Amino acid sequence: MRYGIFVERLNRFVARVELEDGSQRLVHVASSGRMSELLVKGAPVVIYGDGKPGQKTEGRLGLVQHGGFWVSVDTGVPGRVLRAALEARQIPAFAEYPDVRPEVAFGESRIDFQLTGAGLPPCLLEVKSVTSVVVDADGTPVGRFPDAPTERGLRHLHELAAAVKEGYRAAVFFIVQRGDAQAFGPWDEIDPAFGQGLRAAAQHGVEVHAWRLRVNPTEIALEAPLPVRL
């Protein structure tokens, strides 16, 4: 783990950072999201891992500090954290399912998890990483997704709704990777089609869950469920 400051984003997956010793390094950005409010010059960052011979980047951009909070910007984190919690049966809504299988093909997509258990309908569960928070009209900091239009995300919603028609249980699980969110809702101003799709999926029986992570340089863990504003 190394500390530094953000310098610039060269493309979707590569950024330049300056380490504490003044040297600059290229690091991997494990997210295709815009994160324009987070990836600003001078923002404190945490880099995890080191580069391998022949690689262009040296480590990956893990955390960015924004508004006094650390934000995880690695889209792989929510799936890993949620899988561990599901396997430990720590998520009340899914605690009855003993078996967790990742990366399951359904329709034209791969869904993050399929949960199964004796006498229970199989449950398809798709995870989405949330890094943006917008203060709502009532003053509530709301985690918003997506921060860029996502045809893939909309397709997942359609697949989950189709699964419900076939007798599955289905859910989409939004994980807000920062500690300042007090609710979650779709970001209609960025992608109105996704917001409409999420509400339609919910009306067809797809469950919508949201949790907030506790994030700091030495710990990333599920902290609390969030109310969903559709």
Side-chain angles (χ1 to χ4, degrees), residues 1 27 41 58 61-62 73 149 152 157-158 164 178 206 210:
M1 181 178 70
V27 296
K41 188 173 183 178
E58 301 180 33
L61 184 63
V73 295
R152 180 173 178 268
L157 297 178
H158 293 328
V164 171
R178 49 195 287 176
V206 176

Side-chain angles (χ1 to χ4, degrees), residues 2 26 49-60:
R2 294 169 289 173
L26 298 183
D50 297 304
K52 296 180 181 179
Q55 283 187 334
K56 181 180 180 180
T57 55
E58 301 180 33
R60 73 184 188 281

Side-chain angles (χ1 to χ4, degrees), residues 84-101:
L86 290 170
E87 291 177 342
R89 303 172 81 167
Q90 294 174 337
I91 307 297
F94 306 102
E96 58 188 339
Y97 286 94
D99 301 313
V100 180
R101 180 185 169 193

Side-chain angles (χ1 to χ4, degrees), residues 32 47 51 57 63 68 110 117 144 189 195 212 221:
S32 60
I47 309 303
T57 55
L63 308 182
R110 296 193 70 83
R144 295 293 185 187
E189 292 80 3
R212 179 181 67 220

Side-chain angles (χ1 to χ4, degrees), residues 55-121:
Q55 283 187 334
K56 181 180 180 180
T57 55
E58 301 180 33
R60 73 184 188 281
L61 184 63
L63 308 182
V64 177
Q65 195 172 66
H66 176 74
F69 289 87
W70 285 105
V71 183
S72 171
V73 295
D74 184 341
T75 57
V77 167
R80 294 194 295 270
V81 170
L82 184 58
R83 180 176 182 177
L86 290 170
E87 291 177 342
R89 303 172 81 167
Q90 294 174 337
I91 307 297
F94 306 102
E96 58 188 339
Y97 286 94
D99 301 313
V100 180
R101 180 185 169 193
E103 294 294 323
V104 175
F106 185 86
E108 298 181 0
S109 302
R110 296 193 70 83
I111 304 300
D112 289 318
F113 299 105
Q114 178 173 282
L115 314 180
T116 56
L120 300 171

Side-chain angles (χ1 to χ4, degrees), residues 5 14 95-96 106 108 135-136 148-149 158 164-165 173 196 206 220:
I5 61 172
V14 178
E96 58 188 339
F106 185 86
E108 298 181 0
V135 177
D136 220 342
H158 293 328
V164 171
K165 291 182 180 180
F173 204 110
Q196 293 168 6
V206 176
I220 299 178

